[in-house]
Amino acid sequence: MGAGAVGCAVAWAAAREGLAGEVVLVDPDPGSGASRVAGGMLAPISEAWPGEREVLELGAASLAAWPSFAAAVARDAGCSVGLRREGTLQVAVDAADVEDLDRVAEHLRAWGRVVERLSGRAVRRLEPSLGPSVRAGLAIPDDLAVDNRVLLGALSRAGASRGVVVSRRSVARVVDDGERVTGVAFADGGELEASRVVVAAGAWSAGLHPVLAGRVRPVKGEILRVRARRSSLPPPSRTVRASVSGRPVYAVPRDGGGLVVGATQYEAGFDADVLVGGVRDLVADVERVLPGIADYALEESAASFRPGTDDNLPLLGPVGPVGPAGLVAATGHGRNGMLLVAVTVSALVAVLRGEPLPEEARAAAADRSAVARG
Amino acid sequence: MGAGAVGCAVAWAAAREGLAGEVVLVDPDPGSGASRVAGGMLAPISEAWPGEREVLELGAASLAAWPSFAAAVARDAGCSVGLRREGTLQVAVDAADVEDLDRVAEHLRAWGRVVERLSGRAVRRLEPSLGPSVRAGLAIPDDLAVDNRVLLGALSRAGASRGVVVSRRSVARVVDDGERVTGVAFADGGELEASRVVVAAGAWSAGLHPVLAGRVRPVKGEILRVRARRSSLPPPSRTVRASVSGRPVYAVPRDGGGLVVGATQYEAGFDADVLVGGVRDLVADVERVLPGIADYALEESAASFRPGTDDNLPLLGPVGPVGPAGLVAATGHGRNGMLLVAVTVSALVAVLRGEPLPEEARAAAADRSAVARG
């Protein structure tokens, strides 16, 4: 259930590995949720960095798995997944930011990542689109990024090549007999029988079975999609991240001169409006770092909902002793869905084979709260 | 040629008056040009006010004709044209603006218009959404406004009710035999025979016949469409106009809590990109006057091209001694297309009847340059 990046990837992998007689991907509007609005940074550094060790370890494991995941999807899809290898530049615009950069650099080095601390001038030499307010930077050349919409297209093709069936219907809830799941009930009536149900409905997951209630909440985010014009300064080739007036902002390059600028963050339920003030802040913050963007074309502003969890770790695998057998979660990926899709796929393949969660995914076990509560 | 507000209105009126055997409205994408992006103020006050006496007189004549034009369209369409009668508030945010207000008030009174000069507090009492930076205002209660998209829909229905045929094809040029027009040639081949051709293609008019070359140029404008949310301060009920940092800005209410915020102005050819910097300026300027707009939903940002002329008057009627007989212009309406559609219709009905242009439209005679040049 759910044809975002995670649902599409799990469906594809399950079909490829022959883990079910038939794999049906159910979504009233495939590829329309948070995956469509994502920036696509594949960087295991959250705005909460440093901290949240388990979130970072899971992200690092997924980053390591991404190239082979991408290659496998591309093989089945017969097209690119939109992976970019230009790396990230984290930049600082004030003194506090510069201190942050040094802390981040230290932690990344402790993790064995390659990082390079750069002066403002050196940063502008690398990316001439960065403005004079940038005082320092940190190059993280091994960070990856992905074009979220190219990835969604590739996952859809890869799934089709393996026989994934797409059902464009709206699911009301998972149905069980008290012990095992028996299928899903559609919002407009009727059921689909299934011996196992993977809930990959992102922020909408909590309403699909009582055992998931309260475990995933929507965290709204807004992005802008802009594009350099012929008259514009060319966009950066690397992902640019900064913090402006305490607000994180990023610009992730796309082929053809595009940039995805993000992202605001609101805890406001399922309010899908793009706010005038949100757009104003994103533009102001990104202009501080990339002043030439004023001459770019604004192609789209969009909002969606990250699936947030209390501990910022996703929910992966069986929902455990409290939930019915056969109910499997692949949700709660927060702001890291694109990054975590690779580790999610390997974790779900193991679970659907009847194996335990792989070591690197254990912290995200969906039954962790149930266990803790028990 | 051209199914914007002007073309649709002229086609409807020509069919209604029985001025042609058949009226064919040709446009590859009806209602998609400047008319779709208009604010819809029906106010004969341009940013050039005071000045341009002939532009203002034409506008005043059209404003006077608007209510009966609207009623006639509504009768044939069987639906509202989206006319609003709440009037305009021109507001001032700095000392220079306050002086401007007094000048505008004086001129409007000299024209016999009802105006009321208001303190900042009185303005905010009328429209509580106006922010504390508003120092003074001018109420112009008789100004009208129209929902441009409702109008386009009504004109389309009214035309259909009178037998106007819509041809969704792209016109390459008007064809003539050296003396008279014989029809139009389509971009993808083929011709439509016609004894008279009305060019109402707005900014795209200049390319359609050599006699129009150089007489209409595109003046790009960008607008935002925003909507008050349940949590928002309600929008103003009147059109609000201001000048912020020397840039004119307006917010025109729509039913259902919508506002159209405009408009930027660029002389940049047919560059249809909405610029990041344009959106930034519109938001900053309108927030200065209506601070609550930060919490509104941004529903759309759009750009189009006003058909500008050298003297800011439209081109109405026969193109004159230089052009072929039967070639009639209804274009060049600049930023005032919605306002001037009423006077344009009565002028074009007269011309298509073989009568001279009505007195109030003479200054806009399409053959004025030809005569001057001759």
Side-chain angles (χ1 to χ4, degrees):
Chain A
M1 291 161 51
V6 167
C8 288
V10 170
W12 158 75
R16 188 176 81 136
E17 304 291 322
L19 302 178
E22 189 181 33
V23 179
V24 184
L25 187 56
V26 187
D27 195 313
D29 191 3
S32 66
S35 295
R36 185 170 167 77
V37 177
M41 285 184 290
L42 306 179
I45 303 180
S46 75
E47 280 79 10
W49 174 277
E52 298 194 318
R53 181 168 189 87
E54 287 171 330
V55 176
L56 294 167
E57 283 178 356
L58 188 69
S62 203
L63 181 64
W66 240 96
S68 62
F69 164 71
V73 174
R75 259 195 313 275
D76 278 6
C79 65
S80 159
V81 303
L83 196 63
R84 294 182 65 109
R85 299 171 177 276
E86 287 84 353
T88 297
L89 271 178
Q90 172 101 27
V91 302
V93 297
D94 68 23
D97 294 343
V98 175
E99 279 176 39
D100 268 354
L101 274 194
D102 290 328
R103 257 201 307 277
V104 171
E106 208 173 288
H107 281 266
L108 283 169
R109 286 198 190 101
W111 276 71
R113 301 288 307 278
V114 176
V115 295
E116 191 183 359
R117 188 66 169 70
L118 300 164
S119 68
R121 192 187 298 181
V123 171
R124 278 186 290 278
R125 213 157 34 223
L126 273 184
E127 294 290 359
S129 54
L130 291 167
S133 70
V134 170
R135 297 161 57 137
L138 193 65
I140 312 164
D142 298 338
D143 265 359
L144 302 175
V146 69
D147 183 321
N148 55 322
R149 296 183 183 176
V150 172
L151 175 66
L152 284 168
L155 284 170
S156 166
R157 293 176 62 153
S161 83
R162 294 291 182 172
V164 171
V165 175
V166 178
S167 169
R168 291 177 170 259
R169 298 183 67 180
S170 183
V171 168
R173 62 184 195 285
V174 181
V175 185
D176 65 70
D177 62 10
E179 291 199 354
R180 291 198 56 82
V181 298
T182 57
V184 297
F186 293 115
D188 56 1
E191 288 192 13
L192 176 70
E193 284 185 28
S195 59
R196 285 180 295 184
V197 173
V198 177
V199 176
W204 294 267
S205 299
L208 293 176
H209 192 279
V211 78
L212 290 166
R215 301 209 47 202
V216 181
R217 69 181 195 282
V219 182
K220 178 178 169 180
E222 295 159 324
I223 56 106
L224 307 177
R225 293 177 77 102
V226 304
R227 183 178 42 76
R229 292 141 39 82
R230 255 182 308 184
S231 57
S232 310
L233 268 180
S237 62
R238 294 161 183 80
T239 295
V240 172
R241 276 203 312 258
S243 164
V244 177
S245 313
R247 290 187 298 247
V249 64
Y250 58 76
V252 190
R254 294 289 186 264
D255 287 349
L259 280 179
V260 180
V261 176
T264 58
Q265 186 157 336
Y266 312 86
E267 302 267 356
F270 286 105
D271 158 18
D273 290 334
V274 174
L275 298 190
V276 171
V279 172
R280 173 245 282 144
D281 289 347
L282 284 176
V283 170
D285 295 349
V286 74
E287 269 200 278
R288 187 85 194 281
V289 180
L290 297 167
I293 214 167
D295 183 56
Y296 283 33
L298 176 63
E299 298 203 313
E300 187 180 335
S301 53
S304 194
F305 305 99
R306 309 170 186 96
T309 62
D310 286 346
D311 57 7
N312 294 332
L313 280 163
L315 306 176
L316 303 182
V319 290
V322 178
L327 178 56
V328 180
T331 185
H333 291 78
R335 58 171 62 245
N336 298 311
M338 290 286 146
L339 169 63
L340 296 179
V341 65
V343 75
T344 297
V345 161
S346 53
L348 268 281
V349 164
V351 165
L352 294 172
R353 275 192 186 129
E355 300 167 4
L357 277 175
E359 179 60 35
E360 73 267 20
R362 295 247 166 104
D367 56 3
R368 65 187 179 277
S369 303
V371 170
R373 280 194 218 110
Chain B
M1 291 160 51
V6 167
C8 288
V10 170
W12 159 75
R16 188 175 83 136
E17 304 291 322
L19 303 178
E22 188 181 35
V23 178
V24 184
L25 186 56
V26 188
D27 195 314
D29 191 3
S32 66
S35 295
R36 184 171 169 76
V37 176
M41 284 185 290
L42 306 181
I45 303 179
S46 74
E47 280 79 10
W49 173 277
E52 298 192 319
R53 183 169 189 85
E54 287 172 329
V55 176
L56 294 168
E57 283 178 356
L58 188 69
S62 204
L63 182 65
W66 240 96
S68 63
F69 165 71
V73 174
R75 260 196 311 276
D76 278 5
C79 65
S80 159
V81 303
L83 196 62
R84 292 182 66 109
R85 298 172 178 276
E86 286 83 353
T88 297
L89 271 179
Q90 172 102 25
V91 301
V93 296
D94 68 24
D97 293 343
V98 175
E99 279 176 38
D100 268 354
L101 274 194
D102 290 328
R103 257 201 308 276
V104 171
E106 208 174 287
H107 282 266
L108 282 169
R109 285 198 190 100
W111 276 71
R113 301 289 305 280
V114 176
V115 295
E116 191 182 359
R117 191 61 171 74
L118 299 165
S119 68
R121 193 188 298 183
V123 170
R124 277 186 291 277
R125 213 157 34 224
L126 274 184
E127 294 290 0
S129 55
L130 291 168
S133 70
V134 170
R135 296 161 57 138
L138 194 65
I140 311 163
D142 298 338
D143 265 359
L144 302 175
V146 69
D147 183 323
N148 56 322
R149 294 182 184 176
V150 172
L151 176 66
L152 285 168
L155 285 170
S156 166
R157 293 175 63 153
S161 82
R162 294 291 181 172
V164 171
V165 174
V166 177
S167 169
R168 290 176 171 260
R169 297 183 68 179
S170 183
V171 167
R173 63 182 196 285
V174 182
V175 186
D176 65 70
D177 63 9
E179 291 199 352
R180 289 199 56 83
V181 298
T182 57
V184 297
F186 293 114
D188 57 0
E191 288 192 13
L192 175 70
E193 284 186 25
S195 60
R196 285 181 294 184
V197 173
V198 177
V199 176
W204 294 268
S205 299
L208 294 176
H209 192 279
V211 78
L212 290 166
R215 301 211 45 204
V216 182
R217 71 182 193 284
V219 182
K220 178 177 169 180
E222 293 158 325
I223 56 104
L224 307 177
R225 292 177 79 103
V226 304
R227 183 178 43 77
R229 291 141 41 81
R230 255 182 308 182
S231 57
S232 308
L233 268 180
S237 60
R238 295 162 182 79
T239 295
V240 172
R241 276 203 312 256
S243 165
V244 177
S245 314
R247 290 186 298 247
V249 64
Y250 59 75
V252 190
R254 294 289 188 265
D255 286 349
L259 281 179
V260 179
V261 176
T264 58
Q265 187 157 336
Y266 311 86
E267 301 267 357
F270 286 105
D271 159 18
D273 290 333
V274 174
L275 298 191
V276 171
V279 172
R280 175 244 283 144
D281 289 347
L282 284 176
V283 170
D285 295 349
V286 75
E287 269 201 279
R288 186 86 194 279
V289 180
L290 297 167
I293 214 167
D295 183 56
Y296 283 33
L298 176 64
E299 298 202 314
E300 187 180 335
S301 52
S304 193
F305 305 99
R306 309 171 185 94
T309 63
D310 286 347
D311 56 8
N312 294 332
L313 281 163
L315 306 175
L316 303 182
V319 291
V322 177
L327 178 56
V328 180
T331 186
H333 292 78
R335 60 170 61 245
N336 299 312
M338 290 287 145
L339 169 63
L340 296 179
V341 65
V343 74
T344 298
V345 161
S346 53
L348 268 282
V349 164
V351 165
L352 294 172
R353 274 193 187 129
E355 300 167 4
L357 275 176
E359 179 60 35
E360 73 267 20
R362 295 247 165 103
D367 56 4
R368 65 186 179 278
S369 302
V371 170
R373 279 194 219 112

